Amino acid sequence: MAGISYPYNPFQSYNMENTSTFAQTTGTTTDDFLPLLGTDYIEFYVGNAKQAAYYYQHAWGYKLVAYAGPETGVKDRASYVLMQDKIRLVLTTSLLPDSAISEHVKKHGDGVKVLALWVEDAAKALEETLKRGAKQAAPLASIQDAHGEVRTASIHTYGETIHTFVERKNYKGAFLPGFQPVNSSIEVKPVGLRYVDHCVGNVGWGEMNTWVKFYEDVLGFKVIISFDDQDISTEYSALMSKVVSNGNGFIKFPINEPAEGKKRSQVEEYLDFYHGAGVQHIAVATDNIIETVSELRRRGVDFLEVPGTYYDDLYERVGKIDEDMEDIRRLNILVDRDDEGYLLQLFTKPVEDRPTLFYEIIQRRGARAFGKGNFKALFEAIEREQERRGTL
Ligand code: FE2
């Protein structure tokens, strides 16, 4: 991938040890049976990839870099590959009425099918995970074109989501063999998105620990933080969450399950509309959340709103921050602090008509946590949206 320097470690400047909030992670050592170099791509199955690609280019500033479809000899689908710095999204739509892709879209609406993990050795990744109980979704495959070879293999995770291991050390093409590079005539202005910080999965009642154990046993991940329903509850609804991370911290997957409350949890609402477990949100990192969010708002991306009172005692809660408080308040950005620093974050409304997948914009200023201090304000904001939909 020209212009992209992997491996990339968003946490390279942080001390991974000696924190009170986090269990110590193992680091990349020879006993890591599944070394991961990063998120390779996130593939969505959607109803109309052409239009979705337009949205991600114009609203989010992604650049269209590759395409596969009838014009390139692929008969059953069309896929658009979009990039912004180290983030790579693939939007795929079916050209047939009864394919696995169209069935996925019929059941789930637009949603994430593949969380692809970049590996040195796809054969070993498949072998090691199958040995530990993974269910294979696609066998080891070698795909080749004039630019070289990519080896892939896939395993199932929660719901109908899969992880694809991608080994691309012998490949110099735009994305994967079979895809053609695109020189889009559209002028796209990036909004400053840098890398995928974490991807969150929603799973069914009582299933969180099953999936946490899956990531521990099968992929060698560790739980780095957990939240119970006391941490994540409002007057009306609750959820529980545990965050698993791989050894080097490049990949972090929080897993949520609904908890009992007076009203319907947002996780339950997701499960009802997605018809099962799936990816709830993707957190994308920026180095300047003020500029990123200003530009996204200008382009029409909708964000959740927290009430003005959230800002009244913000300095008392989080201490001094470098950003201008007026900007923070005007853009409705949330701030939280942990032992190591602070973070700024903001959540979009769902980006489909079903209240399913949304995005988080995050800027870390030292903090490695996930904004626990904002959960209540955030979930109350989601409840106001649920109320409007009649699903609370
Ligand atoms: Fe998040």
Side-chain angles (χ1 to χ4, degrees):
M1 299 299 306
I4 294 172
S5 57
Y6 289 113
Y8 176 71
N9 178 4
F11 296 118
Q12 58 198 356
S13 61
Y14 304 147
N15 179 8
M16 296 296 286
E17 298 172 8
N18 204 13
T19 85
S20 57
T21 325
F22 289 82
Q24 192 170 321
T25 48
T26 55
T28 309
T29 57
T30 46
D31 63 0
D32 188 352
F33 64 85
L34 185 65
L36 299 176
L37 306 172
T39 304
D40 195 278
Y41 65 89
I42 298 171
E43 183 169 13
F44 297 72
Y45 283 175
V46 301
N48 188 336
K50 180 180 274 195
Q51 290 191 7
Y54 186 88
Y55 168 73
Y56 280 103
Q57 288 176 87
H58 285 269
W60 289 83
Y62 286 87
K63 187 171 161 47
L64 178 63
V65 296
Y67 170 80
E71 300 84 348
T72 70
V74 177
K75 298 300 178 202
D76 67 335
R77 67 184 68 190
S79 295
Y80 297 75
V81 182
L82 299 144
M83 287 194 74
Q84 188 162 176
D85 204 339
K86 291 161 187 76
I87 308 165
R88 182 158 44 202
L89 307 181
V90 182
L91 304 166
T92 294
T93 203
S94 177
L95 302 177
L96 306 170
D98 55 359
S99 69
I101 299 165
S102 46
E103 288 302 320
H104 197 277
V105 173
K106 180 181 170 189
K107 183 174 176 188
H108 303 296
D110 289 5
V112 172
K113 176 64 184 180
V114 186
L115 291 170
L117 303 170
W118 183 34
V119 297
E120 264 303 297
D121 185 338
K124 181 160 184 289
L126 182 65
E127 184 197 320
E128 294 288 348
T129 50
L130 289 182
K131 201 164 76 185
R132 289 169 171 82
K135 265 174 55 197
Q136 181 174 291
L140 183 68
S142 163
I143 35 177
Q144 299 171 27
D145 67 11
H147 303 289
E149 180 200 25
V150 173
R151 295 204 296 167
T152 61
S154 305
I155 61 169
H156 290 278
T157 178
Y158 49 77
E160 292 191 305
T161 317
I162 64 172
H163 289 308
T164 297
F165 301 118
V166 181
E167 171 193 328
R168 54 171 68 254
K169 60 179 180 276
N170 298 315
Y171 193 65
K172 293 190 167 28
F175 174 52
L176 294 178
F179 281 76
Q180 284 187 358
V182 174
N183 279 321
S184 176
S185 55
I186 299 173
E187 178 75 28
V188 168
K189 284 216 192 78
V191 297
L193 302 180
R194 302 268 334 273
Y195 59 86
V196 174
D197 187 276
H198 59 275
C199 292
V200 182
N202 278 343
V203 301
W205 290 95
E207 290 180 358
M208 176 181 69
N209 285 326
T210 307
W211 288 105
V212 166
K213 194 164 163 35
F214 165 83
Y215 281 103
E216 287 177 324
D217 294 351
V218 176
L219 285 88
F221 283 32
K222 296 243 184 319
V223 174
I224 56 168
I225 193 162
S226 33
F227 306 104
D228 63 20
D229 50 352
Q230 298 304 308
D231 293 322
I232 315 183
S233 65
T234 66
E235 186 186 348
Y236 294 121
S237 67
L239 63 87
M240 293 194 281
S241 188
K242 284 185 181 172
V243 184
V244 293
S245 169
N246 79 316
N248 60 20
F250 291 4
I251 306 291
K252 289 180 294 305
F253 293 144
I255 309 284
N256 298 334
E257 71 173 27
E260 289 291 349
K262 280 191 212 155
K263 294 192 176 181
R264 184 153 66 156
S265 160
Q266 52 163 298
V267 178
E268 210 180 337
E269 184 197 37
Y270 175 101
L271 297 169
D272 288 349
F273 279 88
Y274 199 73
H275 290 270
V279 174
Q280 179 213 37
H281 76 264
I282 299 165
V284 286
T286 170
D287 291 337
N288 188 334
I289 199 164
I290 305 290
E291 276 180 20
T292 298
V293 172
S294 298
E295 192 56 25
L296 289 172
R297 284 192 181 281
R298 200 183 64 76
R299 299 182 192 186
V301 174
D302 284 330
F303 291 93
L304 287 175
E305 283 149 36
V306 294
T309 51
Y310 170 87
Y311 297 94
D312 292 348
D313 60 347
L314 190 60
Y315 272 138
E316 284 95 280
R317 278 188 286 128
V318 302
K320 184 88 185 72
I321 59 171
D322 291 347
E323 289 72 18
D324 186 292
M325 190 55 84
E326 273 318 299
D327 288 339
I328 296 288
R329 184 190 283 265
R330 175 174 54 82
L331 295 166
N332 219 218
I333 291 167
L334 309 176
V335 190
D336 196 26
R337 185 175 281 281
D338 68 13
D339 298 345
E340 295 163 278
Y342 66 95
L343 62 81
L344 305 127
Q345 61 186 169
L346 187 55
F347 298 81
T348 70
K349 292 184 181 177
V351 294
E352 320 74 15
D353 290 297
R354 298 193 200 191
T356 51
L357 180 112
F358 58 89
Y359 286 92
E360 172 182 353
I361 315 295
I362 184 166
Q363 181 177 4
R364 294 185 179 278
R365 288 206 178 263
R368 292 199 294 140
F370 293 83
K372 181 180 166 185
N374 291 324
F375 287 168
K376 192 158 186 289
L378 171 65
F379 297 143
E380 283 170 354
I382 293 177
E383 283 169 11
R384 286 191 290 278
E385 296 297 315
Q386 283 182 265
E387 186 92 72
R388 284 184 203 166
R389 291 191 281 267
T391 59
L392 183 61

